[in-house]
Amino acid sequence: MSLYGEFSVPTDAFALHYTLEQIQEITIETERVVATEVGLTNYFWVSGCNLDEFETVSEKDPSIQNLRRLDEFDRATLFRAEWTEQVDAIIFAYLEIGATILEATGSHDEWHFCMRFDTHDRLDQFQDHCDDQGISFRLTKLHEITQPHTGSQFGLTEKQSEALVTAWKMDYFTTANVTLADVASELGITPQSLSERLQRGYQSLIANTIVVTPPSD
């Protein structure tokens, strides 16, 4: 049975460490990671900072290249970039043991990950690899996944899936009697946060279901 694990690593042990160290107020949230023959392409949201400053600082960041701004919303902006270094453990997880990043959030102090591993052995391999590379690894939560169907197969994070399912169960999409504030209150978040979470969820669902072949650049 697959495992769901949450863990943290220091900022300097993963991608965009230079940018996170230079801009203390910034938050980076991974949307989707795509594995290619040459490495990993990361789609991520940036919030809490000036976008021009972020782009200027990230040009000096050795861990990414080919940064591109994709979509802008009220409080977060979607970017795409290729990882170049400081992501060895994650590349190993993707390419060698088939782990999946469900969520990844970076701040000035650390990166926090939610990942799915197919078996306990795969998790052990990942931990051993981190130890071999001298990467500080702090596991905060681990449990078996008992639900056979999750939103991650459609590119959804756990929070996005929870928001969409909760809104659906409350008939938010079918009646005017249920407001965004009602659903946000049920989830314990602000209406603004829920709105952004739903928008990101819509985008992931469309990209991974309706749009079979993404448009070329």
Side-chain angles (χ1 to χ4, degrees), residues 7 9 13-15 33 40 83 86-96 99 101 113 115 126 129-130 135:
F7 63 92
V9 298
F14 192 57
V33 179
L40 297 176
W83 285 339
Q86 299 297 329
V87 292
D88 179 71
I90 303 303
I91 290 179
F92 175 83
Y94 258 77
L95 303 183
E96 299 295 329
I101 295 178
F113 295 93
M115 294 183 68
F126 179 71
H129 183 77
C130 288
I135 298 173

Side-chain angles (χ1 to χ4, degrees), residues 7-209:
F7 63 92
S8 298
V9 298
T11 300
D12 61 4
F14 192 57
L16 288 161
H17 58 284
Y18 175 82
T19 301
L20 289 168
E21 290 171 355
Q22 297 298 312
I23 309 176
Q24 296 193 13
E25 300 83 7
I26 193 174
T27 297
I28 298 175
E29 182 180 354
T30 292
E31 174 76 12
R32 183 159 50 107
V33 179
V34 179
T36 66
E37 294 182 355
V38 296
L40 297 176
T41 297
N42 185 21
Y43 294 78
F44 56 92
W45 296 90
V46 173
S47 60
C49 70
N50 179 277
L51 295 179
D52 291 335
E53 179 185 10
F54 167 74
E55 291 176 331
T56 298
V57 172
S58 63
E59 287 181 357
K60 302 177 182 178
D61 197 314
S63 66
I64 63 170
Q65 62 184 7
N66 299 326
L67 179 73
R68 179 180 175 185
R69 190 187 302 192
L70 299 179
D71 293 304
E72 295 185 48
F73 294 97
D74 291 340
R75 296 178 60 186
T77 299
L78 181 65
F79 285 88
R80 181 185 71 186
E82 298 170 6
W83 285 339
T84 60
E85 60 178 40
Q86 299 297 329
V87 292
D88 179 71
I90 303 303
I91 290 179
F92 175 83
Y94 258 77
L95 303 183
E96 299 295 329
I97 65 175
T100 301
I101 295 178
L102 302 177
E103 294 183 24
T105 303
S107 63
H108 179 67
D109 298 319
E110 66 181 11
W111 273 97
H112 182 76
F113 295 93
C114 300
M115 294 183 68
R116 187 181 67 229
F117 300 87
D118 289 346
T119 64
H120 278 278
D121 288 341
R122 298 294 174 86
L123 173 61
D124 290 341
Q125 291 177 40
F126 179 71
Q127 290 178 303
D128 290 342
H129 183 77
C130 288
D131 290 340
D132 292 342
Q133 299 299 317
I135 298 173
S136 177
F137 182 100
R138 181 168 60 87
L139 186 66
T140 57
K141 182 184 293 186
L142 179 66
H143 62 81
E144 294 182 339
I145 298 176
T146 57
Q147 296 295 328
H149 301 292
T150 65
S152 61
Q153 60 188 316
F154 301 115
L156 295 175
T157 66
E158 183 176 292
K159 292 179 181 179
Q160 292 165 6
S161 180
E162 179 187 30
L164 288 166
V165 171
T166 300
W168 176 75
K169 287 182 176 179
M170 293 179 65
D171 294 326
Y172 170 72
F173 301 113
T174 58
T175 177
N177 295 328
V178 179
T179 67
L180 192 71
D182 293 330
V183 181
S185 177
E186 178 70 18
L187 291 168
I189 61 178
T190 66
Q192 178 66 38
S193 295
L194 175 60
S195 177
E196 293 176 1
R197 199 169 292 179
L198 290 174
Q199 288 183 49
R200 298 179 190 179
Y202 300 151
Q203 182 176 17
S204 294
L205 283 174
I206 292 171
N208 289 279
T209 55

